[in-house]
Amino acid sequence: MNQDLSIVSLLLNASWVVQAVVALLVGVSIASWAAIFRKVVALKKVQTLNDAFDREFWSGTSLNDLFAGAAQNAKYSGPMERIFASGMREYQKLRERRIADAGTLMDGARRAMRASYQREVDAIEANLSFLATVGSVSPYVGLFGTVWGIMHAFTGLAALEQVTLATVAPGIAEALVATAIGLFAAIPAVVAYNRFAHDIDRVANRLETFIEEFSNILQRNLGAQSPSGH
């Protein structure tokens, strides 16, 4: 007798535990793909905004003009611009308090930029741990469904007097579907996690480099007593 071994048929005939595992994995896979697409868009936006501000920063515009622009554009600014605004804001506040010590001014600006940097990196890394969890846990969840399905299949075969490949195959096949779907959920999540981790490291390194470059500019301006330009 011909048996329908399509994935849909196998899942419909599977035990409720296997069906629940597969449903969970499908839901997790959809959520991980949604997180992947959101992260792709977010990283692209971050890189575009950083590039735009970097060009403006090195175009010769004065620091005061850049700070005024950053204040007006705060809602739509990128990480680099917000870090700049944090450092410049603290720098100007200390200057307004008549603090003339260069070390105090630089320490204040650096601390403000470092705090802003940490907030920006935390925001960029959002949902990355979810992808790591999906990538590491999904195969084991699928394996659990497979083991349970095989146990269920062999329990049913115990009552049969004659066991053939035709009677074993459907139960084994429906159990293995859970492992396949677990891998289907895990592989894209692992690949995306590794790619995003690499891209975020590059963004973080670029922001750290900017902090050092901007600190050097402030240091030179302190020496020249001209904080309005660079």
Side-chain angles (χ1 to χ4, degrees):
M1 183 175 61
N2 293 330
Q3 294 178 323
D4 186 2
L5 294 180
S6 67
I7 293 179
V8 174
S9 177
L10 291 172
L11 290 177
L12 290 176
N13 294 321
S15 66
W16 69 268
V17 174
V18 174
Q19 291 176 342
V21 167
V22 169
L24 174 64
L25 290 172
V26 169
V28 167
S29 179
I30 293 172
S32 68
W33 276 107
I36 288 169
F37 285 123
R38 285 197 302 268
K39 185 61 68 178
V40 167
V41 173
L43 284 175
K44 182 65 175 177
K45 182 179 179 181
V46 164
Q47 291 169 353
T48 300
L49 291 173
N50 283 347
D51 288 342
F53 179 74
D54 192 57
R55 288 192 298 269
E56 186 178 6
F57 183 81
W58 295 108
S59 66
T61 307
S62 70
L63 295 181
N64 285 338
D65 289 343
L66 285 172
F67 181 57
Q72 293 176 356
N73 194 42
K75 188 176 180 181
Y76 305 102
S77 58
M80 187 178 292
E81 188 170 3
R82 287 192 287 267
I83 289 173
F84 162 80
S86 297
M88 194 66 184
R89 186 181 301 112
E90 184 66 19
Y91 177 84
Q92 290 190 344
K93 283 181 180 178
L94 293 175
R95 296 276 292 184
E96 290 170 359
R97 290 168 55 185
R98 307 295 184 182
I99 295 176
D101 181 65
T104 302
L105 290 170
M106 292 305 304
D107 287 344
R110 277 181 174 274
R111 282 196 301 270
M113 286 191 287
R114 278 289 166 186
S116 180
Y117 164 83
Q118 194 58 57
R119 288 193 298 270
E120 297 297 336
V121 172
D122 288 344
I124 295 172
E125 289 179 342
N127 295 327
L128 207 60
S129 60
F130 171 72
L131 293 178
T133 301
V134 171
S136 60
V137 173
S138 292
Y140 295 104
V141 175
L143 184 60
F144 167 76
T146 295
V147 171
W148 186 277
I150 291 175
M151 290 171 55
H152 183 265
F154 278 106
T155 301
L157 294 174
L160 299 178
E161 294 182 358
Q162 183 177 4
V163 178
T164 65
L165 182 61
T167 57
V168 174
I172 302 299
E174 72 185 31
L176 291 174
V177 169
T179 295
I181 295 179
L183 293 175
F184 177 79
I187 292 173
V190 171
V191 173
Y193 174 84
N194 290 333
R195 178 62 186 178
F196 292 150
H198 173 72
D199 290 343
I200 291 172
D201 282 343
R202 291 181 61 187
V203 171
N205 289 337
R206 186 178 184 186
L207 293 178
E208 286 187 324
T209 300
F210 171 77
I211 290 174
E212 294 302 318
E213 291 172 340
F214 182 42
S215 297
N216 290 336
I217 290 170
L218 289 178
Q219 187 73 52
R220 289 198 300 268
N221 285 343
L222 278 173
Q225 293 298 312
S226 178
S228 63
H230 66 281

